Amino acid sequence: MIRYIRRAAAFCLLLLVALLLNAARIQVFQADQLDDNPANRRRTIDRYDQPRGNILVGGKSVTGSKNTDEQLTYERTYTDGPLYAPVTGYASQTYGTTLIENAEDDILSGTDPLLAPLPLWDEITRSRQPGGNVATTVKDSMQRAAYAGLGGRRGAVAALEPSTGKILALVSTPSYDPERLSGTGSSVTDAWRQFNRARSQPMLNRAIRQTYPPGSTFKIVTAAAALDADVVEDPHAETDTPSPYVLPGTSTTLPNEARGCEYASLAEAIRVSCNTVMAHLGVDVGLDGMVKAARKFGFNDSGLRIPSGVARSNFDTDMSNDQLALSSIGQFNTTATPLQMAMVASAVANGGDLKYPYLVDRTTTRSGTTVHQNGPRPYHRAMSPRTATQLRQMMIDVVEQGTGSNAAIDGATVGGKTGTAQHGIDNSGTPYAWFISWAQAPNASRPAVAVAVVVEDAAAKRADISGGGSAAPIARAVMEAALRG
């Protein structure tokens, strides 16, 4: 009898061990797999059971959370949603996250280990901290000036602090209200469908995710390449460029919109925007030299993050000389984001030293304790200090005596470059209006801001589109806001 009891006990013990091993297998070894199973809603429920941390502009929150008393308790809210959508992105219970809401999700959702009071605290206690906050580098006055200046037209503005790389404004219009995507249900899916079907593409972040032919604004890059390579030793000396200029290896002539470009100097070619001179100089620098110069400004960098990913600005690395000539004036396959062209202006303003652009100043706990602080980082030496000094004066002449007069600010030193980029089959599309610039306050030791503006309003009359007419006044308003502090 005792023998049978022992056997039964041993069998029960074996079953118990098997149960414990199975429980360990499920709870330890398969925990991550079960957590990630789409059928497991617990993680989603846990994610929304507390308010999300906030995104700050100038110390004030531009986001919030509201209690819905539903299973997914807290929904994201936005203050001035369309104004700040290109900065914040959206945090949707249905469609996920984008931009800062995505790049800083661990901080905002409270899952970042840096928020815990002790190392491994959350792993040991299986707990989650209150969502932390993300303080941006954006200045509210500059963001509003850019948004108002664009006035709902298709376009974008990017503004940088040249000495640090801080992004002071990042605007894309037409925009959208990210709060309409926050929750669940038919209203959210209807809004998603509406935004994505709109011809104006309001959810496209034109400032960092859309590239355009930069047109004549790219001539600043070509000028930097020519000066650094000593292709041009005296920017005020005549060049040997005829007008019109025949593209190398072809019978195609390149015209000028401006007058007086025949044998014009580099300085004059920048001031009145001569296509012929700049195309010729690009060919003289050569493909390798132009590619090297473009890369120093950030072109062809597919890894740029601010912390969200930025679309790659392109300068082809394999071209014939006629294609190189066109690329050197911002045409052919040359494309750039507005942020990239703000980086070009910033490099000139900062003596040739280009800083890495960044949008997040610091992250903090819910109570305000700093978790991580960002700061200036070197990106590239885009040109020599001597070349930067020469280009600064050329850009000043564009505003004071040339095509960029609409960007002038009383009492301030302003440098700029206009651009009207052709595109479409046989250049039949409405041109993109560009303006890049920088501004320095009286008695200041260095420029306060560098700006790039692009306007691509398909509803405008072709003759009314120009960098000096459409884009320069927007840049001026942003620069004025920067100089006011």
Side-chain angles (χ1 to χ4, degrees):
M1 184 68 178
I2 293 176
R3 182 175 58 185
Y4 293 115
I5 293 175
R6 286 176 177 172
R7 289 178 179 175
F11 182 68
C12 290
L13 178 61
L14 181 62
L15 291 176
L16 178 60
V17 170
L19 288 171
L20 291 174
L21 289 174
N22 188 55
R25 178 181 65 84
I26 293 172
Q27 296 180 21
V28 178
F29 299 106
Q30 291 186 347
D32 291 340
Q33 180 182 348
L34 292 171
D35 279 345
D36 294 335
N37 191 311
N40 180 13
R41 286 179 52 82
R42 184 173 296 279
R43 174 171 284 189
T44 303
I45 292 170
D46 288 344
R47 177 180 175 85
Y48 297 107
D49 71 351
Q50 68 178 27
R52 190 169 173 83
N54 286 317
I55 299 172
L56 311 178
V57 172
K60 296 182 179 179
S61 174
V62 296
T63 60
S65 297
K66 66 179 180 181
N67 189 337
T68 64
D69 292 323
E70 296 178 0
Q71 190 177 49
L72 304 182
T73 309
Y74 285 95
E75 270 182 27
R76 194 54 143 170
T77 61
Y78 294 88
T79 303
D80 293 315
L83 173 65
Y84 283 108
V87 175
T88 63
Y90 59 77
S92 171
Q93 294 173 350
T94 304
Y95 298 108
T97 57
T98 59
L99 303 178
I100 285 181
E101 293 278 28
N102 176 266
E104 300 292 349
D105 184 66
D106 288 350
I107 288 288
L108 295 166
S109 65
T111 59
D112 194 309
L114 294 175
L115 296 173
L118 295 171
L120 302 178
W121 177 265
D122 290 351
E123 287 79 358
I124 295 171
T125 62
R126 305 290 290 178
S127 62
R128 181 160 59 108
Q129 301 302 310
N133 296 328
V134 176
T136 70
T137 57
V138 172
K139 288 191 174 182
D140 180 76
S141 60
M142 294 176 62
Q143 187 81 1
R144 292 182 184 276
Y147 189 78
L150 285 167
R153 291 174 292 177
R154 297 185 194 182
V157 176
L160 297 168
E161 185 175 66
S163 61
T164 64
K166 289 181 179 179
I167 297 175
L168 304 177
L170 201 68
V171 171
S172 175
T173 58
S175 190
Y176 70 102
D177 186 356
E179 189 166 334
R180 293 183 61 190
L181 303 176
S182 292
T184 59
S186 60
S187 63
V188 171
T189 55
D190 288 347
W192 177 266
R193 191 178 303 110
Q194 175 190 339
F195 293 154
N196 281 282
R197 287 180 177 176
R199 294 184 62 186
S200 61
Q201 297 179 283
M203 295 179 69
L204 172 62
N205 191 333
R206 291 172 165 86
I208 63 171
R209 298 283 173 82
Q210 178 71 6
T211 60
Y212 305 87
S216 293
T217 59
F218 189 82
K219 292 173 182 175
I220 298 300
V221 177
T222 302
L227 289 166
D228 270 356
D230 291 328
V231 169
V232 173
E233 296 182 356
D234 180 0
H236 298 285
E238 284 189 353
T239 63
D240 60 350
T241 310
S243 181
Y245 169 68
V246 179
L247 295 176
T250 75
S251 58
T252 302
T253 58
L254 181 66
N256 288 301
E257 296 287 340
R259 295 180 178 179
C261 289
E262 188 169 15
Y263 307 120
S265 67
L266 172 60
E268 183 68 6
I270 292 295
R271 186 179 71 83
V272 300
S273 203
C274 296
N275 291 332
T276 52
V277 172
M278 302 312 299
H280 189 192
L281 289 178
V283 173
D284 285 348
V285 171
L287 178 61
D288 290 344
M290 284 300 300
V291 169
K292 182 178 179 181
R295 281 177 173 162
K296 289 180 180 178
F297 283 94
F299 284 83
N300 297 342
D301 184 353
S302 58
L304 186 65
R305 304 189 67 83
I306 63 170
S308 306
V310 178
R312 176 182 180 273
S313 296
N314 181 71
F315 189 84
D316 277 2
T317 59
D318 185 11
M319 291 182 280
S320 59
N321 278 341
D322 59 315
Q323 294 167 340
L324 176 60
L326 293 173
S327 295
S328 298
I329 59 171
Q331 298 288 347
F332 188 55
N333 288 336
T334 303
T335 57
T337 62
L339 178 63
Q340 171 63 76
M341 296 315 297
M343 291 165 64
V344 170
S346 181
V348 175
N350 200 43
D353 183 17
L354 180 58
K355 299 297 185 181
Y356 199 101
Y358 66 101
L359 187 56
V360 173
D361 180 58
R362 67 189 183 281
T363 55
T364 73
T365 63
R366 176 62 61 87
S367 62
T369 302
T370 297
V371 170
H372 179 75
Q373 178 78 51
N374 288 316
R377 286 191 291 155
Y379 183 54
H380 291 302
R381 166 59 68 177
M383 70 197 91
S384 70
R386 179 173 178 270
T387 292
T389 299
Q390 293 171 318
L391 279 175
R392 275 173 56 103
Q393 187 57 53
M394 291 183 218
M395 292 181 75
I396 291 171
D397 291 343
V398 168
V399 173
E400 294 184 352
Q401 306 169 30
T403 57
S405 59
N406 281 336
I409 300 172
D410 289 343
T413 303
V414 178
K417 182 68 190 81
T418 55
T420 307
Q422 310 292 335
H423 71 101
I425 300 173
D426 295 327
N427 292 331
S428 60
T430 303
Y432 299 134
W434 277 96
F435 192 74
I436 63 172
S437 59
W438 52 267
Q440 183 170 339
N443 303 319
S445 61
R446 57 194 179 191
V449 63
V451 182
V453 178
V454 65
V455 179
E456 45 140 336
D457 192 353
K461 294 180 180 178
R462 183 182 177 93
D464 293 340
I465 289 284
S466 72
S470 299
I474 302 171
R476 182 184 64 223
V478 176
M479 292 186 291
E480 286 174 335
L483 296 177
R484 286 195 295 268

